[in-house]
Amino acid sequence: MNTQTNPSPQFYLTAPATCPYLPGQLERKVFTHLVGPRAAEMNDLLTQGGFRRSQNIAYRPACETCRACISVRILADAFEPTRSMRRVLATNGDIVSTIHPAQPSTEQFSLFRRYLDDRHQQGGMSDMSALDYAIMVEDSHVNTRIIEYRRREPGDGIGDKPKGELLAVALTDMMSDGLSMVYSFFETELTKRSLGTFMILDHISRTRALGLPHVYLGYWVKGSAKMGYKTRFQPQEHLTARGWERFDPAAES
């Protein structure tokens, strides 16, 4: 079998499928494989160009009649948390976050299944098995990490392996210009903690500590309630036909 990789990525187009975000719309995606020694470099370039990663695939929307999906990145250095975000940070002051190599665990999968069963019963990931989860985490040729969020117990925060209950997990790509949140999940019953918001705030803090400018959040879809939270993290840039531009939330009101 020929294992040599082409010097340039080969792009492919999916067939039309039902859009998961906007009723009555069809989606198509353009995609390429992220493999070989240049995978990390290509992931950086493609993410900066509006692509997202899923396992060893980079993709972006290529819909024929709709341009609602817009790539979003937070400007970490200029970010200031709102009052409600500061409350989220205070509420979760008992959480220890730890970064690990991208290796799955039974504990992670149990939390992942509870999250899917509560939030995404009808989604494309709803029937994922433990093997599917392991592939999602491990099937990567780029610089990927798992960040675990655990309830603090005595002694936690000192060593590399906190002992407390696992409350949330983020699968994150470490890029040359920041962090890209590939997928995250959490204990949905703990609504007062706002764990989804807390993980984004933690990624902003980590990005600043690394001296990097951006946190990539994936796509914002105007008109989709499930995507509305992404524009709360200001300032941020949206990828337009003119390149990355500052988003003005007042203009959308």
Side-chain angles (χ1 to χ4, degrees), residues 24-198:
Q25 294 287 346
L26 294 176
E27 69 166 1
R28 300 189 79 177
K29 295 175 182 176
V30 61
F31 69 94
T32 189
H33 296 277
L34 290 171
V35 295
R38 295 185 60 222
E41 175 189 355
M42 289 305 304
N43 188 46
D44 277 17
L45 291 173
L46 291 172
T47 301
Q48 292 159 8
F51 281 71
R52 293 291 287 166
R53 185 181 71 81
S54 177
Q55 295 169 219
N56 63 2
I57 297 291
Y59 67 91
R60 67 169 298 170
C63 306
E64 296 175 358
T65 61
C66 179
R67 296 293 183 269
C69 292
I70 298 174
S71 295
V72 173
R73 67 185 186 188
I74 302 167
L75 302 177
D77 280 344
F79 173 78
E80 291 291 340
T82 63
R83 181 179 300 178
S84 65
M85 291 175 185
R86 290 194 294 271
R87 286 198 296 268
V88 170
L89 290 170
T91 299
N92 292 290
D94 61 339
I95 286 182
V96 178
S97 66
T98 313
I99 193 165
H100 302 280
Q103 297 174 347
S105 70
T106 301
E107 189 179 21
Q108 292 169 16
F109 177 67
S110 295
L111 177 59
F112 178 68
R113 277 288 2 146
R114 292 197 298 275
Y115 175 80
L116 291 182
D117 292 343
D118 185 72
R119 293 291 180 90
H120 299 286
Q121 294 182 10
Q122 306 300 321
M125 304 172 73
S126 59
D127 59 351
M128 285 181 65
S129 66
L131 177 59
D132 295 327
Y133 174 74
I135 292 172
M136 182 179 81
V137 173
E138 294 179 322
D139 191 6
S140 171
H141 292 247
V142 305
N143 189 7
T144 308
R145 295 291 184 271
I146 282 279
I147 304 177
E148 293 187 341
Y149 298 84
R150 295 180 179 273
R151 198 188 307 268
R152 186 186 304 274
E153 289 192 357
D156 279 349
I158 299 173
D160 293 332
K161 295 182 178 180
K163 304 182 293 292
E165 176 188 3
L166 183 66
L167 302 182
V169 174
L171 181 64
T172 301
D173 285 350
M174 317 295 288
M175 296 174 43
S176 60
D177 68 331
L179 302 183
S180 176
M181 298 185 70
V182 176
Y183 195 79
S184 59
F185 52 95
F186 51 88
E187 198 68 77
T188 57
E189 292 183 353
L190 303 177
T191 54
K192 292 183 178 180
R193 284 186 175 271
S194 298
L195 289 167
T197 295
F198 178 70

Side-chain angles (χ1 to χ4, degrees), residues 76 179 200-210 215:
L179 302 183
I200 295 175
L201 294 172
D202 179 68
H203 277 70
I204 295 171
S205 177
R206 288 178 177 276
T207 301
R208 278 179 165 172
L210 291 168
V215 176

